[in-house]
């Protein structure tokens, strides 16, 4: 009998393993390619003003469920998650392209709704819609957005330059989008059982909005610019804080220590986690889709952000040999696990 060719399941190496495998086969040929695969956006150009590009695809049934995701919000979110990757490079978004795969389930009016959301996002983030592609899709909706941004050469921030003793900062609060999703899934199940029941989402307003209509922290990028503060490293929190800390640690070749009692969690997130019998800290560490920014700054810059109401300092950059740790509320030290989102 002839031997079967080897078949490796994608789940065995995971999303990041797969991306590493792809990128290991390519070397950049153009000197203008300053950063290829492996950061929030690619960086290219040759002068003082560099260009950024990033792309993100959202699939019905994987990233969104139209039974509770209004099309307008979906359009907004598809743009915001891309803008967030430009923010993570300390850049300004300028243009987007939008590509759609559509089944005949969708009417012209439905697509108008989707584009209303895209238009709101274009206003909020000052970007121009400059193109895209439209194809038919056998079933669900696919929306892929690419964003082009710019950043001056001396302001670009990568994942790779965090240094020992830097301070670790996080914007906003964490875990809300994940718990918003839990609430929406629960209400969907209740509605399926009993279509007479109208979902009461008002009580969960903030976290449901975190899930359905996330923003990108361009406000913080503008403020850092005004303060004359360039972080040493930065990433946006799309897969959960723990996972992003691992990216910073790996790319910067450092260790990380964070403090449990410093993690920013809103009261609604905390209360909802308790209601769902979940640990609020686990939700903050591993819940995805908050689209906040995680960045490191030199100690001399601490003064500039220490009173900022929307930036929390959660720990410090350590020696690589010390690994990734969290000091718990009871003063125990535990090693951090990066769960992140696993779609495979
Ligand atoms: P983010 O979460 O910031 O959007 P990802 O984890 O999706 O970033 O991607 C990490 C890096 O891998 C990025 O540089 C991205 O451009 C690259 N990447 C992702 N998928 C592919 C692919 N199929 N082919 C080539 N590069 C990819
Ligand atoms: Mg990112």
């Amino acid at each position: 009998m002839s031997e079967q060719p080897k078949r490796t399941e994608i789940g065995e190496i995971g999303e990041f393993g797969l991306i590493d495998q792809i990128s290991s086969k390519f070397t950049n040929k153009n000197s203008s390619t300053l950063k290829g695969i492996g950061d929030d956006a690619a960086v290219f150009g040759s002068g003082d003003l560099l260009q950024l590009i990033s792309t993100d695809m959202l699939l019905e049934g994987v990233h969104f469920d139209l039974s509770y995701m209004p099309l307008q919000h979906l359009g907004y979110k598809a743009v915001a998650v891309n803008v967030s990757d430009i923010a993570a490079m300390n850049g300004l978004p300028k243009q987007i392209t939008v590509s759609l795969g559509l089944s005949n389930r969708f009417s012209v009016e439905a697509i108008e709704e989707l584009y209303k959301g895209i238009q709101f996002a274009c206003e909020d983030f000052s970007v121009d819609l400059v193109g895209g592609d439209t194809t038919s899709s056998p079933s669900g909706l696919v929306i892929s957005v690419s964003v082009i941004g710019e950043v001056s050469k001396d302001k670009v921030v990568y994942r790779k330059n965090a240094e020992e003793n830097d301070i670790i900062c996080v914007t906003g609060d964490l875990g809300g989008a994940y718990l918003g999703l839990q609430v929406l899934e629960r209400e969907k199940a209740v509605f399926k059982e009993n279509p007479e029941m109208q979902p009461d989402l008002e009580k969960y307003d903030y976290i449901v909005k975190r899930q359905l209509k996330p923003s990108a922290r361009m406000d913080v990028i503008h403020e850092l610019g005004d303060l004359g503060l360039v972080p040493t490293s930065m990433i946006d929190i799309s897969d959960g804080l723990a996972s992003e800390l691992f990216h910073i640690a790996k790319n910067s070749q450092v260790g990380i220590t964070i403090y449990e009692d410093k993690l920013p969690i809103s009261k609604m997130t905390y209360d909802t986690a308790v209601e769902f019998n979940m640990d609020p800290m686990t939700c903050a560490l591993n819940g995805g889709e908050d689209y906040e920014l995680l960045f490191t700054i030199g100690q001399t810059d601490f003064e500039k952000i220490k009173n900022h109401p929307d930036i929390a300092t959660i720990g410090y950059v350590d020696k690589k040999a010390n690994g990734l740790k969290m000091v718990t509320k009871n003063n125990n030290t535990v090693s951090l696990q990066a769960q992140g989102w696993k779609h495979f």
Side-chain angles (χ1 to χ4, degrees):
M1 250 172 56
S2 65
E3 260 190 49
Q4 294 284 317
K6 184 170 182 310
R7 179 190 155 90
T8 311
E9 300 303 327
I10 293 173
E12 287 173 39
I13 60 170
E15 178 188 347
F16 298 135
L18 183 66
I19 294 172
D20 284 347
Q21 187 159 327
I22 294 170
S23 75
S24 70
K25 305 249 159 61
F26 289 81
T27 42
N28 298 325
K29 289 173 281 298
N30 296 298
S31 60
S32 59
T33 307
L34 302 176
K35 177 78 205 180
I37 296 172
D39 217 302
D40 291 282
V43 184
F44 56 98
S46 48
D48 287 335
L49 191 63
L50 304 178
Q51 309 299 310
L52 302 165
I53 186 161
S54 182
T55 192
D56 255 308
M57 180 158 62
L58 301 179
L59 258 76
E60 185 177 358
V62 179
H63 300 99
F64 60 89
D65 181 333
L66 288 175
S67 60
Y68 49 71
M69 175 61 120
L71 281 165
Q72 221 184 90
H73 287 358
L74 177 64
Y76 192 95
K77 182 170 179 172
V79 178
V81 303
N82 275 278
V83 169
S84 181
D85 278 323
I86 298 297
M89 308 302 293
N90 204 26
L92 302 178
K94 296 291 172 182
Q95 289 88 15
I96 56 164
T97 62
V98 176
S99 300
L100 296 178
L102 293 170
S103 76
N104 57 12
R105 244 172 70 223
F106 296 93
S107 64
V108 173
E109 289 74 17
I111 302 312
E112 271 174 8
E113 277 300 297
L114 181 74
Y115 272 83
K116 252 189 223 162
I118 292 175
Q119 204 164 10
F120 280 131
C122 286
E123 288 300 319
D124 282 358
F125 303 117
S126 296
V127 293
D128 301 324
L129 171 66
V130 296
D133 195 18
T134 311
T135 69
S136 63
S137 145
S139 57
L141 174 64
V142 180
I143 174 163
S144 175
V145 175
S146 294
V147 59
I148 293 167
E150 57 188 43
V151 60
S152 63
K153 199 165 88 180
D154 53 346
K155 296 261 174 66
V156 62
V157 178
Y158 297 99
R159 296 175 177 179
K160 69 177 180 195
N161 293 324
E163 285 188 27
E164 204 182 324
N165 297 324
D166 280 356
I167 296 165
I168 302 172
C169 305
V170 166
T171 63
D173 55 74
L174 302 176
Y178 174 75
L179 282 156
L181 181 64
Q182 304 311 308
V183 169
L184 289 163
E185 289 284 349
R186 181 181 66 187
E187 295 304 317
K188 182 187 172 187
V190 169
F191 184 76
K192 252 192 184 159
E193 280 289 301
N194 184 355
E196 310 283 271
M197 291 271 288
Q198 278 306 311
D200 178 17
L201 295 174
E202 219 163 276
K203 187 179 147 202
Y204 304 100
D205 187 43
Y206 174 67
I207 55 175
V208 164
K209 193 163 165 233
R210 295 285 286 167
Q211 170 60 222
L212 295 181
K213 193 170 176 274
S215 193
R217 295 313 301 261
M218 285 311 303
D219 56 334
V220 172
I221 296 306
H222 289 295
E223 284 167 15
L224 293 180
D226 293 344
L227 290 166
L229 201 176
V230 180
T232 51
S233 72
M234 184 149 56
I235 185 168
D236 73 327
I237 306 179
S238 52
D239 295 339
L241 176 66
S243 172
E244 316 304 357
L245 286 169
F246 271 83
H247 286 308
I248 295 277
K250 185 177 172 207
N251 283 275
S252 295
Q253 294 290 305
V254 294
I256 296 252
T257 298
I258 61 166
Y259 296 89
E260 183 178 9
D261 64 355
K262 305 252 184 212
L263 297 185
I265 300 179
S266 77
K267 182 167 182 339
M268 191 185 291
T269 300
Y270 191 96
D271 292 348
T272 312
V274 171
E275 189 189 329
F276 276 79
N277 274 322
M278 289 175 178
D279 175 20
M281 288 308 149
T282 307
C283 296
L285 282 170
N286 295 315
E289 298 198 287
D290 286 316
Y291 298 103
E292 296 293 343
L293 294 170
L294 166 68
F295 58 94
T296 55
I297 59 172
Q299 295 212 3
T300 48
D301 281 326
F302 177 62
E303 282 295 310
K304 295 180 182 163
I305 53 107
K306 74 171 190 203
N307 293 322
H308 195 294
D310 221 15
I311 298 177
T313 52
I314 62 164
Y316 64 93
V317 179
D318 212 345
K319 282 192 187 48
K320 186 182 178 204
N322 288 340
L324 279 81
K325 298 177 303 200
M326 180 166 77
V327 179
T328 67
K329 285 175 183 160
N330 328 327
N331 234 1
N332 291 325
T333 301
V334 296
S335 48
L336 277 178
Q337 312 291 332
Q339 269 169 276
W341 279 147
K342 302 240 174 332
H343 289 309
F344 297 104

